[in-house]
Amino acid sequence: MIRIGVLISGNGTNLQAILDACREGRIDGEVVVVISDRADAYGLERARRAGVEAIHVDPGDYPTRTAFDRALAELLLARNVDLVCLAGYMRLVRKPMLTAFPNRILNIHPSLLPAFPGLDAQGQALAYGVKVAGCTVHFVNEGMDEGPIILQAAVPVLEDDTHETLRARIQVEEHRIYPRAVQLFAEGRLRIEGRRVRILDQPQKGDS
Ligand code: GRF
């Protein structure tokens, strides 16, 4: 049973998917804390409804982005978190977090990385004219949306797609593959080999 901390900035539908999967036993783990950098993030309400501690940490209260990340790391370490999930968290993770949770931070991004990193991936996909879009769950490193890839799912881009219809189609897949990736982590079945993540048939001792 792993202890999960989730960082959000907004609606939190991926948080909800993880909470639901934990409740239904599809993830052998428990969300123990949800932290938002925005006071009005609806995901904080989702956490409270699920009986999970919900904390707003205001970046404006800290002199630097590093100091902010140090505060986040301390909150998560104090709750014995094993895995940190970024779920619509709109900030780059800095050194204090990466040092506190080496290879223990996951992110979901709404594109088939390495295509369209950064903001508005769906808009980038539409503007570029790709015929296939999708989403990616990956380990987080110091770069923007560029750590080793765990799972991806593809969806078609349809002729009459708008930003909203494409976003909704991708989100269905996000809510499917993010809990799945968290469970693979919980089972100790993810092994990072350079840029590649090997998914083991059997958990191996010492892997995470
Ligand atoms: C998702 O599209 C996710 O891929 C991206 O931010 C969005 C968050 O949505 N990182 P939600 O807050 O989980 O609904």
Side-chain angles (χ1 to χ4, degrees), residues 8-15 46 86-90 107-111 122 135 167 170-171 174-175:
I8 59 163
S9 300
N11 187 357
T13 63
N14 280 285
L15 162 67
R46 294 179 189 273
L86 311 186
Y89 179 66
M90 302 302 284
N107 183 42
I108 180 123
H109 182 75
S111 80
Q122 301 92 334
C135 51
R167 192 184 60 83
I170 292 171
Q171 279 230 310
E174 292 183 18
H175 300 159

Side-chain angles (χ1 to χ4, degrees), residues 106-123:
L106 308 186
N107 183 42
I108 180 123
H109 182 75
S111 80
L112 293 173
L113 290 171
F116 313 132
L119 290 176
D120 191 20
Q122 301 92 334

